[in-house]
Structure formats: C-alpha cells, structure tokens
Amino acid sequence: MLLFLTVIYVLVAIAMIALILMQRGAGAQAGSGFGGGASATVFGARGASSFLSKSTKWLAIVFFSISMYMAWHATNSTGAGNAASADLGVMSQVPVAPPAPQGDAAVPAAPAAVPQAPADDSSVPAAPATETPQSAPPESTDE
C-alpha cells in the first residue's frame, strides 16, 4: 500500500510541476503559452486560467493529503519503545560499538591541589606612563 502511495505521490508532484509551469504569469497575455487564441479552444471558452488553476488546486490537495498520511503512517508504524525492530536501512549493516570500559581507568583523576594565582601585587610590573603627543596645528594650504 505504501509503495503504491509513493508512486502516486511522485506522479502527482510531476503533474503539479507541469501545470504550474504551464500557467501564465501575472503580466503575461492570455494566449502567450499556446500561441494566439488557441487557449480558448483547448481549455474551453473561459480560457486556460480556470482549468489550470482548478487542476493545480486539486493536485495540491491530493499531494498534501498523501504527505500527511505518509507522515502519520511513519510515526505510528514503529512504537517508541520498539526501536530495535525499526528498519534502519543501510545503518542496520553498521556493527554495534563495544561498550565503554567501566571503572576508574576510563576517567582520569583530578589533581587534589589547585594552584593559586600569586596574591602579591608587587610582582606585577606597572604599566609605563605615556604622555599623549601634542598634535601639530593644521598646515594652511593658502597660496
């Protein structure tokens, strides 16, 4: 059933793409896509706009309906507690990693004494005093 829906889903998507590309733009003239006045005879007296937009609307409804059903089916097909039976595809071929070793060997011990920063302020040199340079007056360019 899901394979059948997937095939229908792809066909509806292709049909939607084709119908959307066939529709004229907002500034296009009535028969630009079909040449002259051919759109009135091919799609009826009201022109291509009504037929193409209604077809696109119903294809979009079918497309989103199938999308919602497939999403619902994917979430409800495997139980949350039954992850071992889930189909992992290519990832099911990956070997399971060995468990991590237990005990003190895996985690190194922290040092007992934490070194302290020196508290003596006299060991820190003072910043050199700099004077701000006096800026020269701007040169006059009057000639």
Side-chain angles (χ1 to χ4, degrees), residues 49-68:
S49 137
S50 176
F51 171 77
L52 292 177
S53 47
K54 284 183 182 179
S55 300
T56 305
K57 175 184 75 171
W58 286 108
L59 283 175
I61 290 171
V62 169
F63 182 82
F64 287 116
S65 300
I66 293 174
S67 297
M68 296 300 271

Side-chain angles (χ1 to χ4, degrees), residues 7-17 58-60 62-63 66:
V7 170
I8 297 297
Y9 187 70
V10 170
L11 292 176
V12 167
I14 291 171
M16 264 183 31
I17 291 170
W58 286 108
L59 283 175
V62 169
F63 182 82
I66 293 174

Side-chain angles (χ1 to χ4, degrees), residues 22-99:
M22 282 175 41
Q23 292 181 24
R24 64 172 190 235
Q29 297 189 10
S32 65
F34 302 97
S39 65
T41 59
V42 173
F43 296 109
R46 295 180 62 191
S49 137
S50 176
F51 171 77
L52 292 177
S53 47
K54 284 183 182 179
S55 300
T56 305
K57 175 184 75 171
W58 286 108
L59 283 175
I61 290 171
V62 169
F63 182 82
F64 287 116
S65 300
I66 293 174
S67 297
M68 296 300 271
Y69 175 75
M70 291 171 77
W72 175 82
H73 182 71
T75 56
N76 290 336
S77 65
T78 59
N82 196 5
S85 67
D87 181 21
L88 299 176
V90 176
M91 292 304 293
S92 64
Q93 299 171 1
V94 177
V96 177

Side-chain angles (χ1 to χ4, degrees), residues 1-2 5 9 11 20 31 36-37 40 42 54 63 71 75 78 83 97 100 105 107-108 110 112 124 131-132 138:
M1 169 77 173
L2 198 59
L5 274 179
Y9 187 70
L11 292 176
I20 290 170
V42 173
K54 284 183 182 179
F63 182 82
T75 56
T78 59
V107 180
V124 178
E131 294 182 23
T132 58

